[in-house]
């Protein structure tokens, strides 16, 4: 298969400058964007996020030759704005089909500054203009400008040309002079934590690295070459990475004073390859397939692509040659979003060996057909990703230290009541004997960094414990490649210590949750950085604080024994709610069951704490309070989420990858409870069910937990709930009357009757990714859920659902066939939004969220860029869920043998 470089070189040589800006015509589609073959322009099909603001997916966006090359086209008040900087308010948007024009009405109300952003088709491209209602306020002169941001992974290392004579190369490393740009005198007041962050950074902005009236970007890349000409102010090229590693290249023109109509006019002419069609993408499992099971690849095709009606399977022979072993028809194409899809079934290929799929001129990377295809797909998640994320300990791998023992000064009760950054919220100024700002002792143990950041997100912790406990018990996981010494605070990879790694990880989580119950009295919202400068810091987690307990009596740089005057200790958000409480009970009970025989003292402590919490919750139910809400839906899923009927509940940075004992994803904040009374009752019953189920199992059917299971059982097995929390009822069947199995069997029948129709909503036969966060978590959830239903009712539920879900995660998904599990499979994601993203790297076994739909119809998951959290940020709960799903797939194959 031709490399992208060779394709670009070939196209550059053949397309030539004579085709640049060919007079193609664009039109407004029925989805209200401008389009021609090979080039699309969106305008405010998405808006800036209400919490996280700039996510690089809104305003004016351009898709050229199947790549989203630019985003965030709009007026900004800085050359390289960061995530939380001020954005315009969208008032309205229009699509003028007759005149092939898009417009957006916008304003900065504080500055009484209103304008229209217009993108109109013209021969060979688009005309972009900013038209003001009245001349620019004087205070915004030199500050307000039109910005358009270009994706670094496409353009860095490529060439640009200014005014036809001044040539340059987009830098790989930002290194521009910085200047101070103080805030405007009457600029809208920001939240205190944003003001503090700006002061800490020094209000700096880079100078442009290129400037002129006419700039061509990517001259040497025929797939990304584009020209921009300004009729008005100069074009300036900035490198947003000078301020933040997730910055993009910014093309900008300042709005001149005194002008209204046509204050900014750009002519954008992409070098669209005539009759360009996107190359076929062959989506398949990057780890291969088991011989006796379904093998179906999905072909993602350009609607205008006229390709063959058959595909082939070739075997890779020992001498390196390829031998065709199968040729079969592809199915008729089915449209979905902007592409069409066909399936290629090669189930009849069963002989063990190495194979590739060939369609048209595309050939996949090799993959095996083997009975062990799924045997090694989950270990990296357990012993690399989850190990590297362990807090309060050092983590070593051979010569490498992932991080030293971190956050040993945890923590202070959050001293500020109300909303903080990243959706965190402290509900009260006091909690028991503690008040805001007090050090809470004993909280510097256990837990895992949540994702690409270092928070201890409570739902994620509870989810992980339940998932890993389930994996250990269901699959008898005695896998041991980690050495964990909690007393010495040391973890080392590739060094077995005689204790199963799932047991040690469950223990690590249990220590944190026990600390909450022992020291605070209940489960909590979690532990979070005190300020944005610390929050945005990446690298060694131990470098984020000084490891000494803050003492306000000491000077800022004064140290006395284990105390210091530096207020860098993380904040403990003690807010709670029923979600945390019931899942805290479930997590401790699950941990107690796992730890028996390995650490009996700790097991007893976990069970005693769970029983006490149960009794307290029954006697004094926790009210639904301030810890609910505060985060957008769509990021969470998994068994914790599924078992609670959670829809959403994690900040938009957090992955939707599943979890088997609890939540399938980070579920970084608790879900907002449903509003209708019947839904609230079902929600509350689901929460209590989780605690009752794990306590019943941990106590071998003791009362009152067993009786409570019986009372709640009928609410768990409705057709609606089987796909959410109800499937977990199969784990309760050994403790229920024999008739319960018959009842559940009928519920599963009803559920299965409509399942395939629902899964047919996408060509991949799994839940679609429709939210602002990639949907891999819902797919992992499906794989786990269907495994347990298959195990309980094999005549009703086949094994193919779990294997399809696992195959999806491993490459049978839209956009590319790259495995979503970092480092797992022949071709996998190797740039992820992990805490080592500053090195453009990844943590093995991290499971990314995967593709999202850039509205209205562009599915995207960029392989060679790791700074889009909604596509790339792996959360620990997702990896824990993957341990369950991966083992489930392997168990299905072993069962057949």
């Amino acid at each position: 298969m031709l490399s992208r470089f060779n394709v670009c070189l070939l196209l550059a040589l053949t397309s030539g400058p004579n085709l640049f800006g060919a007079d193609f015509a664009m039109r407004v589609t029925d989805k209200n964007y401008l389009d021609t073959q090979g080039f699309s322009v969106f305008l405010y099909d998405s808006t800036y996020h209400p919490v996280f603001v700039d996510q690089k997916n809104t305003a004016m966006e351009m898709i050229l030759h199947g790549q989203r090359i630019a985003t965030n086209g709009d007026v900004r008040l800085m050359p390289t704005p960061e995530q939380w900087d001020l954005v315009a308010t969208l008032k309205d948007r229009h699509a003028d089909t007759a005149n092939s024009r898009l417009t957006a009405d916008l304003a900065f109300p504080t500055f009484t500054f209103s304008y229209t952003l217009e993108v109109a088709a013209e021969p060979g491209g688009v005309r972009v203009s900013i038209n003001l209602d009245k001349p620019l306020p004087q205070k915004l002169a030199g500050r307000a400008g039109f910005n358009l941001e270009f994706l670094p992974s496409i353009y860095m290392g490529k060439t640009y040309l200014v005014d036809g004579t001044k040539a340059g190369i987009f830098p790989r490393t930002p290194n521009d002079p910085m200047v101070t740009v103080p805030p405007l005198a009457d600029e809208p007041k920001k939240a205190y934590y944003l003001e503090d962050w700006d002061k800490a950074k020094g209000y700096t902005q880079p100078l442009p690295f290129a400037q002129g009236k006419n700039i061509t970007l990517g001259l040497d890349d025929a797939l990304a070459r584009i020209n921009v000409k300004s009729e008005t102010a100069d074009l300036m090229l900035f490198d947003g990475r000078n301020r933040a590693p997730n910055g993009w290249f910014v093309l900008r023109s300042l709005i001149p004073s005194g002008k209204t109509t046509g204050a900014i006019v750009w002519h954008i002419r992409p070098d669209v390859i005539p009759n360009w069609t996107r190359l076929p993408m062959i989506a398949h499992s990057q780890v291969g397939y088991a011989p006796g099971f379904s093998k179906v690849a999905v072909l993602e095709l350009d609607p205008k692509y006229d390709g063959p009606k058959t595909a082939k399977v070739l075997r890779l022979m020992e001498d390196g040659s390829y031998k065709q072993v199968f040729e079969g028809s592809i199915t008729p194409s089915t449209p979905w979003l902007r592409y069409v899809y066909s399936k290629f079934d090669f189930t009849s290929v069963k002989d063990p060996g190495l194979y590739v799929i060939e369609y048209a001129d595309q050939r996949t990377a090799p993959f095996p057909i083997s009975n062990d295809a799924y045997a090694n797909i989950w270990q990296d998640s357990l012993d690399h990703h989850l190990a590297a994320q362990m807090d309060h300990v050092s983590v070593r791998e051979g010569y490498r230290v992932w991080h030293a023992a971190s956050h040993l000064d945890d923590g202070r009760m959050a001293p500020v009541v109300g909303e903080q950054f990243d959706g965190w919220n402290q509900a009260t100024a006091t909690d028991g004997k503690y008040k805001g700002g007090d050090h809470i002792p004993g909280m510097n143990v256990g837990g895992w960094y949540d994702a690409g950041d270092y928070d201890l997100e409570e739902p994620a912790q509870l989810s992980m414990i339940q998932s890993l406990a389930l994996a250990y018990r269901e699959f008898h996981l005695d896998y041991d490649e980690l050495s964990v010494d909690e007393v010495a605070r040391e973890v080392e990879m590739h060094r077995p210590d005689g204790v199963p790694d799932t047991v040690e990880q469950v223990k690590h989580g249990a220590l944190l949750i026990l600390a909450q119950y022992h020291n605070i009295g209940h489960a909590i919202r979690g532990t979070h950085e005190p300020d944005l400068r610390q929050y945005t810091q990446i690298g060694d987690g131990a470098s984020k604080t000084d490891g000494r307990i803050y003492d306000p009596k000491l000077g800022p740089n004064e140290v006395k024994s284990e105390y210091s005057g530096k207020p860098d200790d993380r904040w403990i958000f003690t807010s709670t709610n029923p979600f945390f409480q019931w899942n805290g009970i479930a997590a401790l009970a699950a941990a107690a069951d796992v730890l028996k025989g390995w650490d009996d003292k700790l097991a007893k402590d976990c069970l005693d704490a769970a029983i006490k919490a149960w009794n307290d919750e029954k006697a004094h139910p926790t009210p639904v309070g301030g810890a609910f809400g505060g985060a957008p839906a769509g990021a969470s899923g998994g068994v914790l989420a599924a078992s609670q009927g959670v829809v959403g509940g994690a900040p938009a940075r957090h992955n939707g990858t599943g979890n088997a004992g609890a939540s399938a994803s980070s579920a970084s904040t608790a879900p907002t409870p449903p509003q209708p009374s019947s839904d609230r009752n079902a929600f509350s019953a689901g929460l209590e069910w989780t605690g009752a189920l794990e306590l019943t199992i941990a106590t071998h059917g003791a009362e009152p937990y067993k009786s409570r299971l019986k009372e709640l059982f009928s609410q768990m097995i409705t057709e609606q709930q089987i796909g959410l929390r109800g499937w977990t009822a199969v784990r309760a069947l050994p403790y229920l009357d024999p008739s319960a199995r018959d009842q559940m069997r009928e519920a599963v029948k009803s559920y299965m009757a409509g399942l395939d129709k629902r899964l047919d909503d996408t060509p991949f036969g799994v839940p679609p990714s429709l939210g602002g966060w990639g949907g891999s978590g819902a797919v992992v959830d499906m794989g786990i859920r269907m495994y347990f239903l298959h195990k309980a009712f094999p005549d009703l539920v086949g094994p193919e659902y779990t294997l399809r879900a696992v195959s999806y995660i491993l490459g049978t998904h839209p956009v590319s066939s790259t495995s979503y599990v970092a480092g797992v499979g022949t071709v996998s994601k190797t740039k992820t939004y992990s805490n080592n993203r500053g090195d453009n790297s990844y943590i093995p076994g991290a499971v990314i969220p995967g593709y999202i739909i850039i509205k209205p119809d562009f599915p995207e998951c960029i392989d060679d860029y790791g700074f889009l959290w909604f596509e790339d940020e792996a959360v620990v709960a997702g990896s824990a869920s993957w341990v369950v799903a991966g083992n489930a797939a392997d168990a299905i194959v072993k069962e057949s043998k």
Side-chain angles (χ1 to χ4, degrees), residues 354-369:
L354 291 169
Y355 296 87
V356 298
I357 301 169
E358 191 172 84
Y359 176 73
D361 57 351
Q362 301 299 298
R363 179 181 287 181
T364 68
F367 58 84
I369 292 179

Side-chain angles (χ1 to χ4, degrees), residues 60-61 103 167 232 308 391 441 444 453 483 579 671 852 856 860:
M60 178 186 169
E61 305 187 86
T103 56
T232 49
D391 201 356
N444 59 349
D453 48 17
S483 174
F579 179 90
I852 72 161
E860 177 186 87

Side-chain angles (χ1 to χ4, degrees), residues 283-412:
H284 67 288
S285 170
Q286 294 290 342
V287 305
Y289 304 84
F293 292 86
S294 173
K295 305 172 191 70
V296 179
V298 180
L299 307 179
E300 184 176 79
L301 305 171
D302 191 301
K304 296 184 181 297
Y305 182 80
D306 184 16
K309 304 306 179 186
T310 63
K312 303 172 183 177
V313 177
L314 284 64
R315 184 166 185 171
L316 177 58
M317 308 306 289
E318 193 169 2
D319 63 359
S321 64
Y322 289 91
K323 177 184 177 182
Q324 181 176 322
V325 296
F326 178 77
E327 182 172 6
S329 298
I330 64 172
T331 63
S333 62
T334 300
W336 184 63
L337 301 174
R338 65 168 44 206
Y339 303 124
V340 298
Y341 295 82
S342 294
K343 294 181 181 179
F344 173 54
D345 190 328
F346 59 104
T347 302
S348 60
V349 181
K350 297 180 179 180
D351 290 342
L354 291 169
Y355 296 87
V356 298
I357 301 169
E358 191 172 84
Y359 176 73
D361 57 351
Q362 301 299 298
R363 179 181 287 181
T364 68
F367 58 84
I369 292 179
S370 166
N371 282 314
D372 296 327
Y374 307 115
N376 298 299
I377 63 175
W378 55 269
Q379 289 86 341
D380 280 353
S381 298
L382 177 65
D383 281 355
H384 273 87
H385 187 221
L386 298 187
Q389 299 286 112
M390 294 172 76
D391 201 356
H392 303 120
V393 293
S394 64
V395 181
R396 180 173 184 138
E397 181 184 16
Y399 296 174
R400 176 182 191 169
V401 174
W402 281 91
H403 61 79
S406 50
H407 304 116
L408 299 185
D409 43 8
D410 276 348
R412 300 170 65 204

Side-chain angles (χ1 to χ4, degrees), residues 15 46 48 81 183 248 336 346 361 393 592 630 664 682 701 705 734 790 802 872 875:
S15 62
S46 300
Y48 289 102
W248 290 29
W336 184 63
F346 59 104
D361 57 351
V393 293
Y705 323 113
H790 165 69
T802 293
D872 302 316
V875 299

Side-chain angles (χ1 to χ4, degrees), residues 759-782:
L759 295 179
D760 283 344
D761 285 347
T762 80
F764 299 90
V766 299
S769 178
L770 300 178
W773 187 269
S776 66
V779 180
V780 173
D781 295 347
M782 169 184 152

Side-chain angles (χ1 to χ4, degrees), residues 508-533:
H508 193 67
L511 289 172
L512 175 68
I513 306 306
L514 276 174
Q516 296 170 8
Y517 279 93
H518 289 333
N519 295 296
I520 302 171
H522 53 78
I524 63 172
R525 168 67 178 88
T527 304
H528 190 50
E529 282 89 345
D531 57 61
L532 275 168
R533 188 161 177 83

Side-chain angles (χ1 to χ4, degrees), residues 359-629:
Y359 176 73
D361 57 351
Q362 301 299 298
R363 179 181 287 181
T364 68
F367 58 84
I369 292 179
S370 166
N371 282 314
D372 296 327
Y374 307 115
N376 298 299
I377 63 175
W378 55 269
Q379 289 86 341
D380 280 353
S381 298
L382 177 65
D383 281 355
H384 273 87
H385 187 221
L386 298 187
Q389 299 286 112
M390 294 172 76
D391 201 356
H392 303 120
V393 293
S394 64
V395 181
R396 180 173 184 138
E397 181 184 16
Y399 296 174
R400 176 182 191 169
V401 174
W402 281 91
H403 61 79
S406 50
H407 304 116
L408 299 185
D409 43 8
D410 276 348
R412 300 170 65 204
M413 181 174 163
V416 178
V417 174
E419 183 80 14
Q420 305 301 307
F421 55 90
D422 206 20
W424 287 69
N425 189 300
Q426 174 63 25
T428 60
T430 61
D431 196 311
K433 62 182 178 181
Y434 300 109
K435 64 181 185 300
D438 286 352
H439 176 75
I440 303 178
M443 299 297 291
N444 59 349
V445 293
W448 302 270
Y449 308 149
D450 175 53
D453 48 17
Y454 301 77
D455 308 336
L456 298 179
E457 293 274 9
E458 187 78 354
Q461 313 298 312
L462 302 176
S463 168
M464 284 190 61
I465 295 168
Q466 294 177 65
S467 286
L468 295 176
L470 181 60
Y472 174 74
R473 293 174 291 180
E474 175 65 25
F475 304 110
H476 311 290
L477 290 189
D478 58 1
Y479 183 81
D480 176 24
E481 290 297 331
L482 284 181
S483 174
V484 180
D485 187 334
E486 294 285 359
V487 175
R489 298 184 183 271
E490 294 177 349
V491 173
E492 188 158 355
M493 301 178 186
H494 314 299
R495 188 175 177 179
D497 62 0
V499 182
D501 297 338
T502 43
V503 173
E504 291 177 313
Q505 291 284 15
V506 166
K507 176 178 178 176
H508 193 67
L511 289 172
L512 175 68
I513 306 306
L514 276 174
Q516 296 170 8
Y517 279 93
H518 289 333
N519 295 296
I520 302 171
H522 53 78
I524 63 172
R525 168 67 178 88
T527 304
H528 190 50
E529 282 89 345
D531 57 61
L532 275 168
R533 188 161 177 83
Q534 187 182 127
Y535 172 72
T536 55
Q537 178 181 331
I538 53 180
D540 186 343
S543 67
K544 293 170 80 75
T545 73
D546 62 7
R548 292 183 168 89
I549 298 169
Y550 171 62
D551 184 348
K553 298 176 183 176
L554 299 176
N557 298 309
E558 189 177 356
V559 173
K560 185 176 183 180
S561 185
E562 71 265 33
Y563 297 90
S564 81
K566 191 173 184 180
D568 60 357
D569 307 17
R570 289 191 299 186
W571 291 3
I572 296 172
F573 288 73
T574 64
S575 304
T576 192
N577 57 46
F579 179 90
F580 298 152
Q581 285 299 93
W582 284 113
N583 279 286
I585 291 166
L588 289 174
D593 199 38
V594 167
L595 292 171
K596 289 173 187 173
W598 297 105
D599 190 331
D600 289 331
K601 181 179 179 182
L602 187 62
K604 183 178 185 303
D605 195 1
C606 288
L607 187 57
D608 289 347
I611 291 172
K612 181 180 184 302
W614 168 283
N615 293 333
D616 290 346
E617 195 64 20
K618 296 296 285 185
H620 306 286
T622 299
V624 174
F628 271 117

